[in-house]
Short mmCIF file of all heavy atoms in Angstrom, two decimals:
data_model
loop_
_atom_site.label_atom_id
_atom_site.label_comp_id
_atom_site.label_asym_id
_atom_site.label_seq_id
_atom_site.Cartn_x
_atom_site.Cartn_y
_atom_site.Cartn_z
N GLU P 267 10.35 36.24 47.30
CA GLU P 267 10.44 37.71 47.31
C GLU P 267 11.80 38.17 46.81
O GLU P 267 11.98 39.32 46.45
CB GLU P 267 10.29 38.24 48.75
CG GLU P 267 8.89 38.16 49.30
CD GLU P 267 8.87 38.56 50.76
OE1 GLU P 267 9.60 39.49 51.17
OE2 GLU P 267 8.11 37.93 51.51
N GLU P 268 12.77 37.28 46.85
CA GLU P 268 14.14 37.63 46.47
C GLU P 268 14.58 36.71 45.33
O GLU P 268 14.13 35.57 45.24
CB GLU P 268 15.09 37.39 47.66
CG GLU P 268 14.83 38.30 48.85
CD GLU P 268 15.19 39.75 48.56
OE1 GLU P 268 16.21 39.98 47.87
OE2 GLU P 268 14.45 40.65 49.00
N PRO P 269 15.47 37.18 44.47
CA PRO P 269 15.92 36.32 43.36
C PRO P 269 16.60 35.04 43.87
O PRO P 269 17.27 35.07 44.91
CB PRO P 269 16.94 37.20 42.62
CG PRO P 269 16.76 38.59 43.13
CD PRO P 269 16.09 38.51 44.46
N LEU P 270 16.40 33.96 43.14
CA LEU P 270 17.04 32.69 43.51
C LEU P 270 18.47 32.70 42.96
O LEU P 270 18.67 32.87 41.76
CB LEU P 270 16.31 31.50 42.89
CG LEU P 270 14.84 31.29 43.24
CD1 LEU P 270 14.33 30.01 42.56
CD2 LEU P 270 14.64 31.19 44.74
N SER P 271 19.43 32.51 43.80
CA SER P 271 20.82 32.46 43.32
C SER P 271 21.05 31.10 42.65
O SER P 271 20.31 30.14 42.89
CB SER P 271 21.77 32.61 44.50
OG SER P 271 21.61 31.49 45.35
N PRO P 272 22.09 31.00 41.81
CA PRO P 272 22.39 29.70 41.18
C PRO P 272 22.59 28.62 42.26
O PRO P 272 22.18 27.47 42.08
CB PRO P 272 23.69 29.96 40.42
CG PRO P 272 23.72 31.43 40.18
CD PRO P 272 22.99 32.07 41.33
N GLU P 273 23.17 29.00 43.38
CA GLU P 273 23.42 28.04 44.44
C GLU P 273 22.10 27.49 45.03
O GLU P 273 21.94 26.29 45.23
CB GLU P 273 24.28 28.73 45.53
CG GLU P 273 24.67 27.87 46.70
CD GLU P 273 25.18 26.48 46.29
OE1 GLU P 273 25.82 26.33 45.21
OE2 GLU P 273 24.89 25.54 47.04
N ILE P 274 21.15 28.42 45.25
CA ILE P 274 19.83 28.00 45.78
C ILE P 274 19.14 27.08 44.76
O ILE P 274 18.56 26.06 45.11
CB ILE P 274 18.95 29.23 46.06
CG1 ILE P 274 19.47 30.01 47.27
CG2 ILE P 274 17.50 28.86 46.22
CD1 ILE P 274 18.92 29.55 48.60
N ARG P 275 19.23 27.46 43.49
CA ARG P 275 18.59 26.64 42.45
C ARG P 275 19.20 25.23 42.45
O ARG P 275 18.51 24.24 42.33
CB ARG P 275 18.80 27.26 41.06
CG ARG P 275 17.95 28.49 40.82
CD ARG P 275 18.14 28.97 39.40
NE ARG P 275 17.67 30.33 39.24
CZ ARG P 275 16.58 30.67 38.53
NH1 ARG P 275 15.89 29.76 37.90
NH2 ARG P 275 16.23 31.92 38.43
N ARG P 276 20.52 25.18 42.58
CA ARG P 276 21.21 23.88 42.57
C ARG P 276 20.76 23.04 43.76
O ARG P 276 20.48 21.85 43.65
CB ARG P 276 22.73 24.12 42.62
CG ARG P 276 23.58 22.93 42.15
CD ARG P 276 25.04 23.10 42.50
NE ARG P 276 25.25 23.05 43.94
CZ ARG P 276 25.36 21.94 44.65
NH1 ARG P 276 25.32 20.77 44.04
NH2 ARG P 276 25.53 21.98 45.96
N LYS P 277 20.65 23.72 44.90
CA LYS P 277 20.25 23.02 46.12
C LYS P 277 18.83 22.44 45.98
O LYS P 277 18.57 21.28 46.31
CB LYS P 277 20.28 24.03 47.27
CG LYS P 277 20.37 23.42 48.63
CD LYS P 277 20.69 24.53 49.63
CE LYS P 277 20.34 24.11 51.02
NZ LYS P 277 20.46 25.22 51.97
N ILE P 278 17.92 23.29 45.46
CA ILE P 278 16.53 22.81 45.29
C ILE P 278 16.52 21.63 44.32
O ILE P 278 15.87 20.60 44.57
CB ILE P 278 15.61 23.94 44.80
CG1 ILE P 278 15.55 25.07 45.83
CG2 ILE P 278 14.20 23.43 44.50
CD1 ILE P 278 14.88 26.35 45.35
N ALA P 279 17.25 21.78 43.21
CA ALA P 279 17.28 20.72 42.20
C ALA P 279 17.81 19.42 42.82
O ALA P 279 17.21 18.35 42.67
CB ALA P 279 18.15 21.15 41.02
N LEU P 280 18.90 19.54 43.55
CA LEU P 280 19.54 18.35 44.12
C LEU P 280 18.62 17.66 45.14
O LEU P 280 18.39 16.45 45.06
CB LEU P 280 20.85 18.77 44.79
CG LEU P 280 21.62 17.66 45.51
CD1 LEU P 280 22.15 16.65 44.49
CD2 LEU P 280 22.78 18.24 46.30
N PHE P 281 18.08 18.44 46.06
CA PHE P 281 17.30 17.81 47.13
C PHE P 281 15.88 17.44 46.71
O PHE P 281 15.23 16.64 47.36
CB PHE P 281 17.32 18.68 48.38
CG PHE P 281 18.68 18.73 49.01
CD1 PHE P 281 19.37 19.93 49.15
CD2 PHE P 281 19.31 17.55 49.43
CE1 PHE P 281 20.64 19.96 49.71
CE2 PHE P 281 20.59 17.59 49.97
CZ PHE P 281 21.26 18.79 50.13
N CYS P 282 15.41 18.07 45.65
CA CYS P 282 14.05 17.73 45.21
C CYS P 282 14.08 16.84 43.98
O CYS P 282 13.04 16.49 43.43
CB CYS P 282 13.25 18.99 44.94
SG CYS P 282 13.10 20.03 46.38
N ASN P 283 15.29 16.51 43.55
CA ASN P 283 15.44 15.53 42.48
C ASN P 283 14.82 15.97 41.15
O ASN P 283 14.11 15.21 40.51
CB ASN P 283 14.80 14.20 42.95
CG ASN P 283 15.46 13.02 42.32
OD1 ASN P 283 16.50 13.15 41.67
ND2 ASN P 283 14.85 11.86 42.46
N VAL P 284 15.06 17.21 40.80
CA VAL P 284 14.64 17.68 39.47
C VAL P 284 15.86 18.28 38.78
O VAL P 284 16.86 18.60 39.43
CB VAL P 284 13.52 18.76 39.52
CG1 VAL P 284 12.25 18.21 40.11
CG2 VAL P 284 13.97 20.01 40.26
N LYS P 285 15.75 18.46 37.45
CA LYS P 285 16.86 19.09 36.71
C LYS P 285 17.00 20.54 37.17
O LYS P 285 16.01 21.18 37.53
CB LYS P 285 16.56 19.07 35.22
CG LYS P 285 16.37 17.69 34.66
CD LYS P 285 17.27 17.49 33.46
CE LYS P 285 17.50 16.02 33.15
NZ LYS P 285 16.28 15.28 32.90
N LYS P 286 18.20 21.07 37.08
CA LYS P 286 18.43 22.43 37.57
C LYS P 286 17.58 23.45 36.79
O LYS P 286 17.03 24.39 37.36
CB LYS P 286 19.92 22.77 37.46
CG LYS P 286 20.30 23.90 38.38
CD LYS P 286 21.81 24.06 38.48
CE LYS P 286 22.11 25.52 38.82
NZ LYS P 286 23.18 26.08 38.08
N GLU P 287 17.46 23.21 35.48
CA GLU P 287 16.68 24.19 34.69
C GLU P 287 15.17 24.05 34.96
O GLU P 287 14.38 24.88 34.54
CB GLU P 287 16.97 24.07 33.18
CG GLU P 287 16.69 22.73 32.56
CD GLU P 287 17.87 21.76 32.68
OE1 GLU P 287 18.74 21.99 33.55
OE2 GLU P 287 17.91 20.76 31.95
N ALA P 288 14.81 23.00 35.70
CA ALA P 288 13.39 22.84 36.04
C ALA P 288 13.05 23.50 37.37
O ALA P 288 11.95 23.34 37.89
CB ALA P 288 13.02 21.35 36.08
N VAL P 289 13.99 24.25 37.92
CA VAL P 289 13.69 25.06 39.11
C VAL P 289 13.41 26.47 38.60
O VAL P 289 14.28 27.14 38.04
CB VAL P 289 14.88 25.08 40.09
CG1 VAL P 289 14.58 25.99 41.27
CG2 VAL P 289 15.18 23.66 40.57
N ILE P 290 12.17 26.89 38.77
CA ILE P 290 11.71 28.14 38.16
C ILE P 290 11.49 29.19 39.24
O ILE P 290 10.83 28.90 40.25
CB ILE P 290 10.35 27.88 37.44
CG1 ILE P 290 10.50 26.78 36.39
CG2 ILE P 290 9.78 29.16 36.86
CD1 ILE P 290 11.27 27.15 35.18
N GLU P 291 12.01 30.36 38.98
CA GLU P 291 11.78 31.44 39.94
C GLU P 291 10.49 32.18 39.59
O GLU P 291 10.32 32.62 38.46
CB GLU P 291 12.97 32.41 39.87
CG GLU P 291 12.75 33.68 40.67
CD GLU P 291 13.90 34.68 40.46
OE1 GLU P 291 15.07 34.30 40.70
OE2 GLU P 291 13.61 35.81 40.05
N ALA P 292 9.60 32.30 40.57
CA ALA P 292 8.38 33.10 40.37
C ALA P 292 8.40 34.21 41.40
O ALA P 292 7.87 34.06 42.51
CB ALA P 292 7.14 32.24 40.49
N ALA P 293 9.05 35.30 41.04
CA ALA P 293 9.18 36.42 41.97
C ALA P 293 7.86 37.19 42.03
O ALA P 293 7.06 37.12 41.10
CB ALA P 293 10.30 37.33 41.50
N ASP P 294 7.64 37.92 43.12
CA ASP P 294 6.45 38.75 43.22
C ASP P 294 6.44 39.73 42.04
O ASP P 294 7.47 40.31 41.72
CB ASP P 294 6.48 39.55 44.53
CG ASP P 294 6.33 38.63 45.74
OD1 ASP P 294 6.02 37.44 45.54
OD2 ASP P 294 6.52 39.11 46.87
N ALA P 295 5.29 39.88 41.41
CA ALA P 295 5.21 40.77 40.24
C ALA P 295 4.27 41.93 40.56
O ALA P 295 3.33 41.76 41.34
CB ALA P 295 4.68 39.99 39.04
N PRO P 296 4.51 43.09 39.93
CA PRO P 296 3.63 44.24 40.22
C PRO P 296 2.19 43.99 39.77
O PRO P 296 1.26 44.54 40.32
CB PRO P 296 4.26 45.39 39.42
CG PRO P 296 5.29 44.78 38.54
CD PRO P 296 5.61 43.43 39.03
N THR P 297 2.00 43.19 38.74
CA THR P 297 0.64 42.82 38.31
C THR P 297 0.66 41.36 37.86
O THR P 297 1.67 40.87 37.35
CB THR P 297 0.10 43.72 37.16
OG1 THR P 297 -0.64 42.91 36.24
CG2 THR P 297 1.19 44.40 36.39
N ILE P 298 -0.48 40.71 38.03
CA ILE P 298 -0.55 39.30 37.63
C ILE P 298 -0.30 39.13 36.13
O ILE P 298 0.12 38.07 35.68
CB ILE P 298 -1.92 38.66 37.98
CG1 ILE P 298 -3.08 39.48 37.43
CG2 ILE P 298 -2.06 38.47 39.48
CD1 ILE P 298 -4.43 38.81 37.54
#
Side-chain angles (χ1 to χ4, degrees):
E267 286 174 37
E268 295 291 322
L270 300 183
S271 65
E273 181 46 33
I274 289 272
R275 286 184 197 249
R276 200 192 67 83
K277 200 168 161 188
I278 297 169
L280 177 67
F281 292 119
C282 300
N283 209 10
V284 296
K285 301 232 160 58
K286 201 169 153 223
E287 59 274 19
V289 176
I290 302 288
E291 171 185 304
D294 292 350
T297 141
I298 53 171

